[in-house]
Amino acid sequence: MDAISGVEFGYGVHLDARLAGNGERVALVLPGAERVQENSAFVDSLAKDYSVVMPSHPGFGLSPRPDWCSSVADLADIYLDWLDRAALRDVTLVGLQFGGWVALEIAVRKPTRISRLVLVDSLGVKLGGPLVRDIVDIFATPRAEVERRTYADPTFGLGDLGLASEEDVLEMARNDEAMATYGWEPYMHNPRLAHSIGRIVVPTTVIWGAQDGIVTPEYGRGIAARIPGARFEQIDLAGHRAQVERPSEVAQLISSSAA
């Protein structure tokens, strides 16, 4: 399979989704706030070993958001319901940035259909004290600075929005609005996750860009340290969206860790 189409996920919610690959193993990839096309090379690489399903979350991209869907817990419930109805087994759950938060919310519920968890530059966990900012405030930081912190190579960013396509700008605006809906307060985390991720029982790999300026590698190591048996991998020459800048390397780490 290799297409972008509308797929009915949990609770009858239809989402825009990329489907790729014909592998026996299934990877459910939960993206961050990047544009769909930015993950194309990563999905193509991962699809060499997996059947990949990558939805756009409700409110992101072209996926509509039901009025009742307003929290990361709601997103987790949508995907859990889909996994149960699809009767999938041994699914590798991959969470990219914001999608890593959603993946953590799924994993702490101990779903029987998930066999492995992979987090790539994930959000969602408060590690420091109340005066420590673990995650850069993307809403209060100038866009140019956010892009600088997001990519090790600035050519991956949109740059001057006046020169970007209208389609790209609108998609970015929709994604920013959705991020605010799900992660405004408390900012980009669930206060309980710092404790509850200790109950995750599936093998976990935490992958981090060495130049991530949104959530540092130290933050990633902190998450890995709280998940029993989790493995931490750092990728050089990659920022917050490691799968965008180093798609083959991230896909290879996911595939090799399943061997």
Side-chain angles (χ1 to χ4, degrees):
M1 58 179 175
D2 193 346
I4 296 179
S5 61
V7 175
E8 182 177 336
F9 281 82
Y11 304 112
V13 176
H14 285 79
L15 302 177
D16 195 46
R18 170 84 187 273
L19 310 175
N22 294 291
E24 292 184 4
R25 297 178 295 178
V26 174
L28 173 60
V29 178
L30 303 180
E34 66 277 5
R35 291 163 294 139
V36 171
Q37 68 185 46
E38 292 183 84
N39 285 326
S40 293
F42 168 65
V43 170
D44 289 342
S45 294
L46 194 61
K48 296 174 183 177
D49 297 307
Y50 292 88
S51 290
V52 179
V53 180
M54 187 186 75
S56 290
H57 308 298
F60 289 80
L62 299 178
S63 294
R65 182 180 65 83
D67 290 340
W68 58 264
C69 183
S70 59
S71 71
V72 174
D74 291 334
L75 297 179
D77 286 341
I78 287 171
Y79 297 127
L80 282 165
D81 186 61
W82 174 73
L83 286 166
D84 285 341
R85 289 191 301 103
L88 296 174
R89 296 284 182 185
D90 297 325
V91 174
T92 294
L93 178 62
V94 181
L96 311 173
Q97 296 85 57
F98 171 76
W101 180 5
V102 184
L104 284 168
E105 296 282 0
I106 292 172
V108 298
R109 290 162 169 77
K110 299 182 180 180
T112 58
R113 302 188 185 280
I114 299 298
S115 61
R116 292 178 57 243
L117 172 65
V118 179
L119 304 172
V120 182
D121 297 270
S122 178
L123 308 176
V125 184
K126 185 75 176 79
L127 300 180
L131 300 181
V132 175
R133 184 167 291 285
D134 297 300
I135 305 166
V136 168
D137 189 340
I138 61 172
F139 302 123
T141 303
R143 193 191 64 81
E145 175 67 10
V146 171
E147 281 206 347
R148 187 188 70 77
R149 290 175 170 273
T150 299
Y151 299 107
D153 181 349
T155 62
F156 281 93
L158 272 178
D160 184 352
L161 295 185
L163 302 177
S165 72
E166 181 179 1
E167 181 180 4
D168 283 339
V169 173
L170 288 175
E171 182 175 1
M172 185 184 71
R174 286 194 297 270
N175 291 357
D176 286 349
E177 181 181 16
M179 284 281 280
T181 297
Y182 297 117
W184 184 268
E185 188 177 358
Y187 178 71
M188 294 299 170
H189 76 280
N190 175 349
R192 294 186 295 275
L193 274 180
H195 305 286
S196 58
I197 59 176
R199 296 189 287 107
I200 293 175
V201 296
V202 296
T204 300
T205 302
V206 180
I207 300 171
W208 227 263
Q211 285 75 43
D212 190 337
I214 302 297
V215 278
T216 66
E218 288 70 29
Y219 176 88
R221 289 188 181 92
I223 289 177
R226 285 164 171 76
I227 299 175
R231 188 175 110 199
F232 182 83
E233 298 283 354
Q234 183 168 295
I235 297 182
D236 290 331
L237 302 178
H240 184 54
R241 294 172 181 166
Q243 82 284 353
V244 174
E245 295 188 271
R246 294 289 179 266
S248 298
E249 290 89 333
V250 173
Q252 180 58 36
L253 281 173
I254 294 170
S255 297
S256 62
S257 64

